[in-house]
């Protein structure tokens, strides 16, 4: 019988094992940003490894954005919250070559944004209302040039970013903000190559105004339904936009 070659499992570096163990320790012990990790000597003793291995693990955690390394007598590794901007950029880079289309992104937004709107409704504060109102006002006057068009498109997306920031579901909030980043990257700058989509802009403005009324009345169910209609409308417009873009590039 011939000897079969079996692919051996990839050996995990000791430093990477420490990284995963530290992550589990943080979760199990309920550690929060600002808390300190055990010092180098304690980590060396706990994991029975060299100083170089511990430092490699800490450097990996620092690159991932999970710790900040302080130097000096009171130095050490301090836990940090990964900035949203860094997490979003890495995920957008991951999807960069897949080239998601506007309609694909809006199809997911149709599922996410209504729940964000409903959850945000009872949590909106005076400063949130002021910010939302200023974003709506930014879009009320028709844009007269390219810069104003871009400013209004960004304001339309920022309206949804504010709502995500008021949502107490961390996963929904992140996905909502991330999808808005994707739209800014992949949809808005495509739209800039075509004439202004007045009907789309008017529809967005109308829905945002209706949503503001629902928010002020603290009507979460109404906000959810309006946002669902808004996203379905936007998905429809973006499917038309994709067709116009194809004709534009072929021409």
């Amino acid at each position: 019988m011939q000897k079969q070659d079996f692919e051996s499992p990839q050996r995990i570096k000791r430093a990477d094992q420490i990284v995963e163990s530290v992550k589990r320790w943080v979760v199990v012990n309920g550690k929060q940003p600002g808390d300190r990790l055990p010092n180098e000597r304690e980590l060396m003793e706990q994991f029975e490894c060299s100083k170089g291995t511990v430092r490699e693990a800490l450097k990996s955690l620092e690159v991932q954005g999970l710790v900040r390394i302080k130097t000096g007598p009171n130095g050490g590794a301090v836990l940090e919250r990964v900035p949203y901007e860094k997490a979003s950029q890495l995920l957008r880079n991951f999807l960069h070559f897949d080239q998601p289309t506007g309609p694909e992104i809006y199809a997911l937004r149709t599922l996410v944004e209504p729940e964000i709107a409903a959850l945000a409704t009872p949590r909106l504060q005076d400063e949130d209302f002021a910010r939302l109102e200023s974003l709506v006002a930014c879009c009320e006057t028709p844009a007269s040039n390219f810069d104003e068009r871009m400013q209004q498109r960004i304001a339309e997306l920022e309206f949804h970013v504010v709502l995500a920031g008021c949502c107490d579901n961390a996963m929904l909030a992140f996905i909502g903000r991330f999808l808005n980043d994707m739209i800014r990257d992949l949809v808005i700058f495509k739209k800039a190559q075509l004439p202004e989509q007045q009907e789309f802009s008017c529809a967005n403005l109308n829905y945002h105004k209706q949503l503001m009324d629902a928010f002020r009345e603290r009507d979460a169910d109404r906000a959810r339904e309006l946002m669902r209609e808004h996203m379905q409308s936007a998905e429809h417009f973006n499917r038309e936009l994709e067709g116009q873009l194809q004709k534009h590039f072929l021409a």
Side-chain angles (χ1 to χ4, degrees):
M1 181 181 293
Q2 291 184 338
K3 183 179 179 181
Q4 293 183 342
D5 292 327
F6 292 96
E7 192 173 310
S8 60
Q10 185 177 2
R11 182 185 177 93
I12 300 176
K13 290 173 56 178
R14 185 63 171 148
D16 291 338
Q17 293 176 3
I18 295 173
V19 167
E20 294 307 312
S21 294
V22 168
K23 290 178 180 179
R24 288 194 295 271
W25 176 81
V26 167
V27 173
V28 169
N29 292 279
K31 297 298 182 179
Q32 295 296 317
D35 292 341
R36 289 177 175 271
L37 291 185
N39 61 38
E40 284 186 359
R41 182 172 295 278
E42 291 172 325
L43 290 172
M44 290 166 58
E45 293 174 355
Q46 179 177 346
F47 293 104
E48 299 179 349
C49 63
S50 67
K51 178 182 291 187
T53 301
V54 165
R55 289 187 172 179
E56 183 182 352
L58 292 176
K59 184 62 178 178
S60 177
L61 287 166
E62 184 179 35
V63 170
Q64 293 178 47
L66 291 168
V67 303
R68 171 171 47 92
I69 307 298
K70 297 177 63 177
T71 58
N74 296 319
V78 180
L79 291 172
E80 292 234 308
R81 185 182 300 279
V82 177
Y84 165 78
E85 290 74 17
K86 180 174 184 177
S88 175
Q89 186 62 63
L90 288 172
L91 189 51
R92 280 145 60 201
N93 288 346
F94 173 76
L95 293 169
H96 185 74
F97 295 105
D98 291 328
Q99 293 293 308
T101 66
E104 289 173 342
I105 298 169
Y106 270 97
L108 185 53
R109 282 188 93 202
T110 302
L111 301 176
V112 172
E113 289 283 355
E115 295 309 311
I116 290 177
L119 291 172
T121 298
R123 296 171 58 85
L124 291 167
Q125 304 297 318
D126 289 343
E127 58 269 24
D128 302 315
F129 279 110
R131 177 62 177 152
L132 291 170
E133 288 166 355
S134 69
L135 293 168
V136 171
C138 176
C139 301
E140 287 186 313
T141 303
S144 60
N145 55 52
F146 174 80
D147 288 340
E148 289 183 1
R149 284 174 58 193
M150 293 303 297
Q151 183 181 9
Q152 290 185 347
R153 298 297 76 77
I154 296 298
E156 289 172 354
L157 291 178
E158 185 64 22
F159 184 94
H160 295 271
V161 171
V162 172
L163 297 180
C166 296
C167 173
D168 59 354
N169 183 312
M171 285 293 294
L172 277 177
F174 177 84
I175 294 171
R177 289 187 66 183
F178 174 72
L179 292 175
N180 279 284
D181 287 343
M182 291 289 290
I183 291 171
R184 185 189 62 208
D185 291 348
L186 300 176
V187 178
I188 283 186
F189 296 107
K190 287 183 180 180
K191 286 179 63 177
Q193 302 172 69
L194 294 171
E196 173 65 353
Q197 309 294 299
Q198 287 289 347
E199 189 178 358
F200 186 26
S201 300
C202 290
N204 287 338
L205 179 61
N206 182 49
Y207 277 116
H208 285 185
K209 287 182 174 181
Q210 292 184 70
L211 281 163
M212 289 301 297
D213 291 339
F215 295 148
R216 292 190 187 94
E217 295 169 6
R218 303 295 183 181
D219 190 340
D221 290 337
R222 179 61 176 155
R224 179 187 289 109
E225 185 56 33
L226 280 169
M227 187 64 81
R228 181 176 292 108
E229 293 176 9
H230 177 22
M231 292 297 100
Q232 290 171 343
S233 169
E235 182 180 359
H236 170 74
F237 276 115
N238 273 274
R239 288 190 183 280
E240 290 188 345
L241 173 63
E242 289 291 320
Q244 293 179 37
L245 282 167
Q246 289 179 7
K247 293 179 182 178
H248 176 76
F249 289 135
L250 288 173

